[in-house]
C-alpha cells in the first residue's frame, strides 16, 4: 500500500464523519481516532506538528485532546522529537507500532470497500485494486470489443510485462472495478533478464502464449531482426492513437526501418539522486563530475552505521553492462562508433558495415577507473547489486547517493517503507573529465508477438490502445509515476504536479540533456550487453586488468558485428 492510498483513505474517513456531525450536532466522535488521522496525515505529508497543533486539529475540545495525546504518548503510540537544541519543546510523530497498526487498518478499510463495490472477492485480493479518487471518479472505459469479448466468455487476454511498480499498477488497473474484463492472473511479471529470455522462448512457440508483451527500448532492433514482433502501422492507422502526441524520440524508438512495431507505454530517464538533508546538513555541494561523486561519498558515508556512499548497478550481466554504457555516455561516447551528429538518432539508420566496437578508448578506461573507485565507497556486496537492490538501498536510506531511473521516484516519494520521502534531490548524471550530462532515456513499448493467432490480433491491439491512452496514463501519473510519454498527459497540470521529479524530467527533455545512443538498440545489442556484462564484472572483481577486459570486449563486440555483416553479404 502506498502513501497516496493511505492519504486518500484518511480523506475518505474524514469526509465520512462530516455528514454524521452535521446531522447529529452534539456528536464529538472518537477523539483518539480523530487525533490519529491528523497525526498520520501530518506524518505522511512530511509536516512537523507540535502537541498543541495536533490537539487543535482533532476536532475535539483542546483540554480533552491534550489529555488523550498524553495517554497516547504513555501507551507508546506517539513519539516525541526534540524541536530545539534545548530539548524543552517537541514535535510529535507516530511510533513504528502505530504506523504498522494504522496501515493494517487502512488495508482493512480498503478491503471492506473493495468487497462492497465488487472490486475484490476476498481480503486476499486487497492489492488487486488501487484506492483513490481517480479510480472511482475518472471513467477509463476499455474499448467495446474488449468488453463484448469478455461478456461472451472468450479466452481472456494474457500479458507479459516487466516486474516493476508501473506494470504492477497497470496490472491492477486492468483488473479493477471499471474494467471488469480481466484479472491479475492474466499478467505475468518478470525481472528484466528473465523477461528477455521469456520473450525469446515465447517466440519459438507455434502459437504465442501472450497477446501483448512489453519490450525494453534497447531490444527493439534485436526482436525485429529475429522476426518476433508484428508491424503495427495498419492497426495504428485505424485507431485513436496519435503518434504526434508522443515525443518523436520516444515514438521512433519503437520503430525499425520505417515500420512501427511498438506503442510507448512509459518513458523514464536515469538520474542521479542525492540525500538533500545529508548534503545540506554537511554544507557539501552536490556532485556534477565523477571525481566530485567520489569526494562526496567519502565525506558523507557512514559505513559503521550501514550508510554507504553510492548505490549503483554492479551485478554481473545486464546490470553492470547497462551501467558501463550509461557512464560512457557521460564521457560523451558510446560502446559503438555511432555518428554524433544529433541527440536523437534512429538506430535503424546506423545498421551498416561501418559499425565497430568502441570500448578500447581513453573514455572507457576513465569509466572503469571511476567504477573501481565507486566500489570503494559502496556497500560490501556492491558487485551483486541490480535494479531492485539499488532501489532498496536508496529507499531505506542505506546510500547517500545513487543512480536511479526516474520512474522509481514514485517509490522514493510515496512508498510506505521509504525513509527518504521529500529528502531526495534529483540531479543530472555526473559527467567525466571531457564529458556531458548525458541522461539516458529508457522505457518500454507494448508489442504484439508475430506468432499470435490472427483472430486475437485486433483484441490485443485494443488492449494496447487502452493501456497507452491518455486517460490511463494520466491516472498512473497522478498516482506518482512520472513516466508518461504523451505530450497531452505531461501538459496536464494535475499530472505535472503529482511528482517532484516530473519537472526535472521535463527540463532535461526540453534542454536536450537526454540521449538514446548510450544503449544503442541495434540487433546485436543483447550480445554486446552479454560481453560487457561479463568482461567489466571480471575486471571489477580483480580477476583481470582493465586493459585485458577492454581488449577482450573490443574483440568480442567486433566479432558480433562482423558475423552479422558477413551473413548479410552472403545473403545479398
Amino acid at each position: 500500500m502506498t502513501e497516496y492510498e493511505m492519504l486518500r483513505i484518511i480523506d475518505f474517513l474524514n469526509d465520512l464523519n462530516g455528514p454524521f456531525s452535521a446531522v447529529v450536532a452534539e456528536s464529538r466522535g472518537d477523539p483518539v481516532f480523530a487525533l490519529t488521522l491528523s497525526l498520520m496525515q501530518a506524518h505522511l505529508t512530511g509536516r512537523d506538528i507540535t502537541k498543541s497543533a495536533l490537539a487543535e486539529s482533532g476536532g475535539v475540545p483542546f483540554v480533552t485532546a491534550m489529555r488523550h495525546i498524553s495517554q497516547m504518548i504513555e501507551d507508546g503510540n506517539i513519539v516525541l522529537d526534540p524541536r530545539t537544541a534545548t530539548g524543552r519543546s517537541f514535535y510529535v510523530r507516530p511510533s513504528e507500532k502505530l504506523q504498522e497498526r494504522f496501515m493494517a487498518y487502512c488495508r482493512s478499510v480498503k478491503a471492506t470497500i473493495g468487497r462492497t463495490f465488487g472490486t475484490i472477492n476476498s481480503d486476499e485480493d486487497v492489492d488487486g485494486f488501487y484506492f483513490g479518487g481517480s479510480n472511482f471518479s475518472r471513467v477509463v472505459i476499455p474499448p467495446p470489443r474488449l468488453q463484448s469479448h469478455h461478456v461472451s466468455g472468450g479466452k481472456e487476454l494474457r500479458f507479459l510485462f516487466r516486474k516493476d511498480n508501473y506494470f504492477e499498477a497497470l496490472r491492477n488497473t486492468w483488473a479493477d472495478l471499471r474494467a471488469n474484463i480481466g484479472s491479475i492472473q492474466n499478467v505475468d511479471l518478470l525481472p528484466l533478464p528473465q523477461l528477455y529470455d521469456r520473450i525469446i522462448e515465447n517466440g519459438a512457440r507455434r502459437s504465442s502464449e501472450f497477446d501483448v508483451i512489453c519490450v525494453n527500448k534497447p531490444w527493439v532492433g534485436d526482436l525485429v531482426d529475429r522476426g518476433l514482433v508484428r508491424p503495427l502501422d495498419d492497426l495504428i492507422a485505424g485507431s485513436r492513437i496519435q503518434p504526434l502526441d508522443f515525443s518523436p524520440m520516444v515514438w521512433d524508438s519503437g520503430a525499425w526501418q520505417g515500420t512501427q512495431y511498438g506503442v510507448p507505454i512509459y518513458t523514464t530517464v536515469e538520474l542521479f539522486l542525492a540525500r538533500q538533508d545529508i548534503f545540506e546538513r554537511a554544507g557539501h555541494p552536490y556532485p556534477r563530475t565523477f571525481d566530485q561523486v567520489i569526494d562526496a561519498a567519502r565525506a558523507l558515508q557512514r559505513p559503521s552505521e550501514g550508510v554507504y556512499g553510492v548505490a549503483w548497478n554492479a551485478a554481473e550481466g545486464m546490470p553492470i553492462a547497462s551501467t558501463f554504457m550509461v557512464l560512457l555516455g557521460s564521457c560523451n561516447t558510446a560502446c559503438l562508433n555511432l555518428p554524433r551528429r544529433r541527440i536523437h538518432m534512429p538506430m535503424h539508420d546506423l545498421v551498416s558495415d561501418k559499425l565497430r566496437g568502441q570500448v578500447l578508448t581513453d573514455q572507457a578506461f576513465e569509466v572503469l577507473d571511476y567504477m573501481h573507485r565507486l566500489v570503494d565507497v559502496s556497500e560490501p556486496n556492491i558487485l551483486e547489486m541490480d535494479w531492485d537492490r539499488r532501489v532498496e538501498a536508496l529507499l531505506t536510506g542505506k546510500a547517500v547517493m545513487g543512480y536511479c531511473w526516474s520512474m522509481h521516484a514514485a517509490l522514493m516519494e510515496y512508498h510506505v517503507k521509504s525513509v527518504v520521502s521529500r529528502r531526495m534531490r534529483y540531479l543530472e548524471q555526473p559527467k567525466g573529465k571531457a564529458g556531458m550530462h548525458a541522461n539516458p532515456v529508457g522505457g518500454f513499448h507494448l508489442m504484439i508477438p508475430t506468432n499470435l493467432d490472427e483472430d486475437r490480433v485486433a483484441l490485443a491491439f485494443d488492449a494496447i490502445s487502452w493501456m497507452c491512452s491518455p486517460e490511463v496514463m494520466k491516472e498512473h501519473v497522478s498516482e506518482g509515476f512520472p513516466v508518461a510519454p504523451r505530450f497531452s498527459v505531461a501538459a496536464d497540470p494535475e499530472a505535472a504536479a503529482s511528482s517532484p521529479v516530473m519537472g526535472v524530467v521535463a527540463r532535461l527533455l526540453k534542454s536536450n540533456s537526454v540521449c538514446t545512443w548510450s544503449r544503442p538498440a541495434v540487433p546485436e545489442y543483447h550480445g554486446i550487453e552479454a560481453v560487457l556484462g561479463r568482461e567489466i564484472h571480471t575486471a571489477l572483481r580483480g580477476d583481470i586488468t582493465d586493459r585485458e577486459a577492454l581488449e577482450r570486449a573490443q574483440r568480442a563486440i567486433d566479432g558480433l558485428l562482423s558475423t552479422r555483416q558477413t551473413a548479410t553479404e552472403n545473403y545479398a
Side-chain angles (χ1 to χ4, degrees):
M1 176 174 287
T2 67
E3 289 185 1
Y4 260 129
E5 285 187 287
M6 293 176 70
L7 286 169
R8 285 170 173 169
I9 288 173
I10 290 172
D11 288 340
F12 169 76
L13 293 171
N14 282 323
D15 290 344
L16 200 62
N17 288 332
F20 184 76
S21 300
V23 173
V24 186
E26 63 273 16
S27 171
R28 298 276 184 187
D30 182 349
V32 173
F33 180 70
L35 290 168
T36 299
L37 291 183
S38 296
L39 181 64
M40 288 302 304
Q41 188 175 51
H43 173 69
L44 292 171
T45 55
R47 290 186 294 110
D48 292 325
I49 188 169
T50 62
K51 288 173 63 176
S52 58
L54 177 61
E56 291 172 351
S57 69
V60 294
F62 184 82
V63 174
T64 302
M66 290 295 287
R67 184 176 71 250
H68 284 291
I69 291 172
S70 296
Q71 187 63 50
M72 292 174 73
I73 294 172
E74 184 178 333
D75 293 341
N77 291 318
I78 290 180
V79 176
L80 300 177
D81 285 337
R83 186 182 179 189
T84 63
T86 63
R88 295 177 180 176
S89 61
F90 301 88
Y91 291 119
V92 292
R93 63 176 172 84
S95 66
E96 294 291 337
K97 178 178 69 174
L98 181 59
Q99 291 180 48
E100 291 175 4
R101 290 178 176 177
F102 187 79
M103 183 166 65
Y105 170 69
C106 286
R107 286 177 63 84
S108 178
V109 170
K110 177 182 173 181
T112 301
I113 294 172
R115 289 194 306 272
T116 302
F117 285 95
T119 304
I120 61 174
N121 297 318
S122 68
D123 288 0
E124 286 72 26
D125 301 328
V126 68
D127 292 324
F129 81 104
Y130 184 88
F131 185 96
S134 63
N135 272 56
F136 294 100
S137 64
R138 187 180 297 118
V139 179
V140 186
I141 302 175
R145 187 161 43 193
L146 282 176
Q147 297 181 70
S148 61
H149 176 77
H150 180 73
V151 171
S152 67
K155 179 183 175 184
E156 292 183 351
L157 273 67
R158 290 287 310 282
F159 305 91
L160 178 60
F161 293 159
R162 185 197 177 186
K163 184 175 177 58
D164 67 20
N165 48 329
Y166 186 86
F167 282 114
E168 287 175 355
L170 185 59
R171 175 197 62 181
N172 296 342
T173 302
W174 174 255
D176 73 5
L177 173 67
R178 289 155 298 106
N180 198 27
I181 54 174
S183 68
I184 287 177
Q185 287 70 34
N186 297 147
V187 182
D188 283 14
L189 299 172
L190 293 177
L192 206 55
Q194 290 91 320
L195 174 64
Y196 177 86
D197 293 341
R198 189 70 176 275
I199 290 173
I200 300 301
E201 174 189 320
N202 182 69
R205 296 169 60 96
R206 180 179 178 182
S207 179
S208 175
E209 182 182 359
F210 303 99
D211 298 271
V212 177
I213 60 176
C214 78
V215 173
N216 196 14
K217 279 184 169 62
W219 301 346
V220 172
D222 180 13
L223 298 185
V224 171
D225 189 61
R226 292 172 181 263
L228 299 185
V229 289
R230 176 184 291 264
L232 300 181
D233 288 328
D234 291 344
L235 293 166
I236 292 171
S239 74
R240 296 178 59 192
I241 292 178
Q242 297 293 330
L244 293 178
D245 194 25
F246 295 83
S247 161
M249 177 172 58
V250 172
W251 182 260
D252 287 348
S253 65
W256 196 259
Q257 295 181 342
T259 299
Q260 196 72 26
Y261 290 88
V263 179
I265 182 63
Y266 81 64
T267 298
T268 182
V269 177
E270 187 163 80
L271 304 171
F272 191 75
L273 277 57
R275 282 285 299 275
Q276 184 170 345
D277 55 332
I278 294 177
F279 271 83
E280 291 184 354
R281 188 162 56 242
H284 203 289
Y286 293 109
R288 293 180 55 80
T289 67
F290 289 174
D291 289 343
Q292 290 172 1
V293 169
I294 302 300
D295 291 342
R298 288 171 177 164
L300 301 177
Q301 68 176 354
R302 303 187 304 277
S304 62
E305 301 175 24
V307 178
Y308 296 91
V310 188
W312 53 292
N313 282 351
E316 187 171 5
M318 281 188 188
I320 201 166
S322 178
T323 296
F324 181 77
M325 287 186 276
V326 166
L327 293 177
L328 277 178
S330 296
C331 291
N332 202 18
T333 189
C335 61
L336 299 177
N337 60 331
L338 306 176
R340 300 296 310 285
R341 60 185 179 273
R342 58 187 185 273
I343 293 294
H344 168 50
M345 56 179 76
M347 289 298 115
H348 58 74
D349 289 346
L350 305 175
V351 180
S352 70
D353 57 2
K354 295 181 180 179
L355 280 181
R356 294 288 184 274
Q358 190 173 256
V359 295
L360 194 58
T361 62
D362 290 342
Q363 293 93 333
F365 279 105
E366 180 184 357
V367 168
L368 259 177
D369 173 70
Y370 175 52
M371 295 172 83
H372 281 294
R373 291 187 289 157
L374 282 176
V375 170
D376 293 337
V377 292
S378 304
E379 64 177 66
N381 60 346
I382 186 63
L383 294 183
E384 300 173 8
M385 181 174 282
D386 60 7
W387 296 275
D388 291 339
R389 293 183 63 174
R390 178 174 71 172
V391 170
E392 180 73 13
L394 290 167
L395 189 77
T396 57
K398 295 178 181 178
V400 178
M401 298 172 286
Y403 290 85
C404 190
W405 290 102
S406 60
M407 66 91 57
H408 289 135
L411 294 175
M412 301 298 155
E413 297 299 329
Y414 307 119
H415 197 282
V416 171
K417 292 183 179 179
S418 176
V419 301
V420 297
S421 178
R422 290 167 290 276
R423 297 178 181 179
M424 276 295 185
R425 184 71 174 264
Y426 302 97
L427 307 167
E428 293 182 283
Q429 291 227 354
K431 61 183 180 179
K433 293 177 181 176
M436 59 185 292
H437 299 292
N439 305 280
V441 174
F444 289 83
H445 293 271
L446 295 187
M447 297 187 175
I448 299 176
T450 305
N451 57 341
L452 180 66
D453 294 342
E454 197 64 34
D455 61 348
R456 298 183 65 81
V457 170
L459 283 170
F461 189 76
D462 278 353
I464 289 176
S465 300
W466 181 67
M467 290 177 170
C468 297
S469 67
E471 294 83 6
V472 172
M473 285 187 177
K474 181 182 175 183
E475 177 168 325
H476 289 156
V477 168
S478 68
E479 292 168 6
F481 296 103
V483 296
R486 282 182 174 268
F487 290 133
S488 59
V489 178
D492 187 283
E494 180 183 343
S498 65
S499 171
V501 78
M502 283 286 285
V504 177
V505 173
R507 176 174 58 80
L508 294 177
L509 289 170
K510 289 179 181 178
S511 63
N512 284 332
S513 297
V514 296
C515 68
T516 58
W517 44 260
S518 61
R519 299 184 304 151
V522 295
E524 299 81 10
Y525 178 83
H526 188 66
I528 293 170
E529 186 179 60
V531 168
L532 294 174
R534 178 181 65 250
E535 302 299 346
I536 301 304
H537 198 267
T538 303
L540 290 187
R541 291 200 309 264
D543 296 342
I544 59 176
T545 67
D546 291 357
R547 177 166 291 278
E548 288 173 321
L550 295 178
E551 287 176 345
R552 284 162 51 164
Q554 180 74 35
R555 287 194 300 269
I557 292 172
D558 283 343
L560 287 170
L561 295 168
S562 63
T563 298
R564 174 177 175 79
Q565 290 154 11
T566 300
T568 303
E569 290 167 1
N570 291 339
Y571 178 78

